Amino acid sequence: MSKIKTRFAPSPTGRMHVGNLRTALYAYLIAKHEGGTFMLRIEDTDQERLVEGAVDIINRTLAGTGLIHDEGPDKDGGVGPYVQSDRVKQGIYMEYAKKLVAEGKAYYCFCDKERLASLHTKIDGTDKEVTIYDKHCLSLSKEEVEANLAAGKPFVIRQNNPTEGTTSFHDDIYGDITVDNSELDDMILIKSDGYPTYNFANVVDDHLMGITHVVRGNEYLSSTPKYNRLYEAFGWEIPVYIHCPLITDEEHKKLSKRSGHSSYEDLIEQGFLSDAIVNFMALLGWSPEDNTEIMSLSQLIEKFDWFSFLLSRLFGKSPRRSVGIRRPTSMGFPSVFRPDRPVGSGTPTGAD
């Protein structure tokens, strides 16, 4: 097997909530335990949600937690740029999207907002609406497509998914999963502004950057069959998937920056120690075989065996304490987590 390479690929849309931090931590630990490479990539394709200064927050958070990347925007490992907007300028995503179009595995779509709105359907028993695209533009002739492009008509590029048969994939936590192709929509690959969607960019970048293990939240399980179809369309090797169960709030809803859930910087401002936050994040979904609960980052690297992590998920082995973060002083942390240890200029050090 090739050397393990994982990535953390945050969007610069605000402070890093604890769910994103745990994803970064697990990706880091998986790579470092095996002597692999941990890469940072900035995914800024959603231009409307960008927050000024958010990239600095990402860098501060990783530095503050000790999750130091081996490759990234400031450490060229030969597969950059490491910021997706810079990759857009190089035409990387459009190049690969057009390859799919040429092979009939994707197509130009010129439908306007009014027509797309007419495709809205309600989910039975709910007030939620979904848009299921009907492949209308797939039937356009080559001449019609070229005429629309020459006229400057706005377009997106959609993946051409089959409507019959099944698609299967393997996840190291959830096992083999098969879905009916009738459930796969023709997702957008390139948006009308020329930027790729997350769903397309992450596949292209993970392949070109040599990512071997993709660590992310299990909300992406439903999209993974479409990712696999992209890998197969290009003839690329599919990475190892590790979809981690989500950290939820008191109402069992996914943590979200949009909903104001606690970020790493929020916790630091409340007086929690960085080492304590990292320690606690590691135990949200994993515990070492010896049930040690207080560990430094170097100890986490040593103990975070990938096989034991899978066992903890498959057979329900989990930390005895899994809810509520308590003050480091009340958890009896050893000297490495002492409240009198500085954690940054002007930052509370853990005292109540």
Side-chain angles (χ1 to χ4, degrees), residues 33-91:
H33 182 80
E34 299 294 337
T37 300
F38 175 63
M39 188 190 82
L40 173 64
R41 182 174 71 226
I42 302 299
E43 299 198 338
D44 59 348
T45 58
D46 190 346
Q47 294 287 290
E48 294 182 356
R49 293 185 58 216
L50 298 185
V51 173
E52 185 176 354
V55 172
D56 292 334
I57 292 175
I58 292 168
N59 289 328
R60 283 201 306 270
T61 300
L62 294 179
T65 54
L67 307 183
I68 307 302
H69 53 278
D70 303 297
E71 290 183 29
D74 58 337
K75 297 178 181 179
D76 187 7
V79 294
Y82 294 85
V83 178
Q84 287 186 334
S85 58
D86 292 337
R87 298 173 72 80
V88 170
K89 294 172 185 176
Q90 292 188 355

Side-chain angles (χ1 to χ4, degrees), residues 3-4 13 68 73 80 94 116 129 158 196 242 264 277 287 290 297 318 320 351-352:
K3 183 179 179 181
I4 286 180
T13 54
I68 307 302
M94 187 64 76
L116 294 176
E129 288 188 340
R158 291 182 179 272
I242 304 115
Y264 169 78
I277 296 170
S287 63
D290 60 6
L297 183 58
S318 60
R320 291 188 290 274
D352 286 312

Side-chain angles (χ1 to χ4, degrees), residues 102-332:
E103 296 176 3
K105 297 169 182 175
Y107 58 94
Y108 289 95
C109 174
F110 301 93
C111 291
D112 57 25
K113 292 181 179 180
E114 288 71 29
R115 184 173 191 284
L116 294 176
S118 71
L119 301 176
H120 290 343
T121 57
K122 278 193 175 183
I123 300 176
D124 291 342
T126 72
D127 293 328
K128 295 182 178 179
E129 288 188 340
V130 295
T131 300
I132 302 175
Y133 190 67
D134 58 0
K135 292 181 179 287
H136 173 74
C137 288
L138 180 60
S139 62
L140 295 177
S141 68
K142 182 179 180 180
E143 291 73 23
E144 288 175 305
V145 170
E146 290 177 350
N148 286 338
L149 292 175
K153 192 170 183 179
F155 68 87
V156 300
I157 296 179
R158 291 182 179 272
Q159 183 180 19
N160 184 15
N161 282 317
T163 56
E164 298 179 348
T166 61
T167 295
S168 300
F169 69 96
H170 178 81
D171 177 83
D172 267 17
I173 293 178
Y174 291 90
D176 295 325
I177 299 175
T178 298
V179 300
D180 291 330
N181 288 336
S182 59
E183 298 178 11
L184 306 181
D185 63 316
D186 285 0
M187 68 177 181
I188 294 174
L189 306 180
I190 300 293
K191 298 179 289 186
S192 58
D193 62 2
Y195 275 75
T197 58
Y198 164 82
N199 294 313
F200 186 51
N202 90 86
V203 170
V204 173
D205 287 346
D206 284 347
H207 171 74
L208 296 181
M209 294 177 159
I211 301 303
T212 63
H213 291 60
V214 173
V215 183
R216 58 189 173 214
N218 66 8
E219 72 267 35
Y220 292 105
L221 279 171
S222 61
S223 297
T224 301
K226 290 177 281 190
Y227 301 158
N228 265 27
R229 297 199 69 85
L230 288 173
Y231 279 107
E232 292 167 355
F234 287 120
W236 294 341
E237 183 178 354
I238 296 170
V240 175
Y241 293 128
I242 304 115
H243 288 87
C244 302
L246 300 179
I247 302 174
T248 61
D249 62 14
E250 294 84 352
E251 298 178 355
H252 304 291
K253 294 181 180 179
K254 174 191 171 185
L255 299 183
S256 169
K257 285 180 280 191
R258 302 185 210 188
S259 300
H261 290 120
S262 288
S263 68
Y264 169 78
E265 291 198 341
D266 291 333
L267 295 174
I268 290 295
E269 290 170 0
Q270 292 169 30
F272 295 101
L273 300 179
S274 183
D275 292 334
I277 296 170
V278 171
N279 190 149
F280 186 82
M281 290 299 101
L283 297 177
L284 290 177
W286 166 82
S287 63
E289 292 182 347
D290 60 6
N291 286 323
T292 300
E293 291 188 340
I294 301 173
M295 292 164 281
S296 65
L297 183 58
S298 61
Q299 291 171 321
L300 287 171
I301 292 172
E302 178 184 353
K303 291 177 178 290
F304 200 88
D305 178 70
W306 180 229
F307 182 68
S308 69
F309 175 66
L310 292 181
L311 289 179
S312 72
R313 299 313 312 160
L314 293 172
F315 299 106
K317 185 171 176 284
S318 60
R320 291 188 290 274
R321 293 197 293 265
S322 61
V323 292
I325 300 180
R326 289 181 285 175
R327 293 284 178 182
T329 49
S330 66
M331 292 186 71

